Amino acid sequence: MTGKSHGNAEFQQAIKRHIPVGHVFKAVPFLFNHRDAKKMAVSLFGSVREKSDKKHSKTKTAPSSSRLAPPAAIDLIRSRGDSVRFAVRVRVFPYPEDVCATWILLAVKYRDVT
């Protein structure tokens, strides 16, 4: 192990070629050991509680504070600027014995207005 990422220079050059001057690019990778999309969404964006109203039907409320989203995901989702574009990339690597590695990359590109 050298402490350097393989292909890091190529990745940085690819980003620089596709992000216009004056724009900001942020990306955050997340790793899960399952393929359950609902569990991943809860982990990334917080949980949604269900509560009963007067007629006993279930309605969804705002995200619960019992499960906080990672600060990096919150920072990325709250990005503000002009020409904001979000992206999601998912790769699933299956292994024997029903084991998998699910990588999710959340990204945003925008023109900073501050």
Side-chain angles (χ1 to χ4, degrees), residues 33 35 95-100:
N33 62 356
R35 294 181 301 268
Y95 295 99
E97 303 293 328
D98 200 30
V99 175
C100 73

Side-chain angles (χ1 to χ4, degrees), residues 4-80:
K4 291 187 177 184
S5 299
H6 176 72
N8 191 36
E10 292 85 0
F11 176 76
Q12 287 183 8
Q13 287 301 315
I15 295 300
K16 288 178 182 178
R17 281 193 302 270
H18 289 89
I19 304 299
V21 174
H23 282 68
V24 175
F25 174 80
K26 295 180 188 178
V28 182
F30 296 94
L31 175 62
F32 297 94
N33 62 356
H34 56 80
R35 294 181 301 268
D36 188 331
K38 287 183 182 180
K39 282 184 181 179
M40 290 179 210
V42 167
S43 294
L44 293 173
F45 306 115
S47 66
V48 176
R49 325 178 251 148
E50 292 184 353
K51 72 172 189 179
S52 297
D53 63 7
K54 293 178 185 176
K55 297 179 184 177
H56 302 292
S57 65
K58 292 183 178 179
T59 57
K60 297 202 177 208
T61 62
S64 168
S65 60
S66 64
R67 177 69 183 198
L68 298 176
I74 293 170
D75 180 52
L76 192 131
I77 296 300
R78 290 184 177 166
S79 297
R80 298 284 185 255

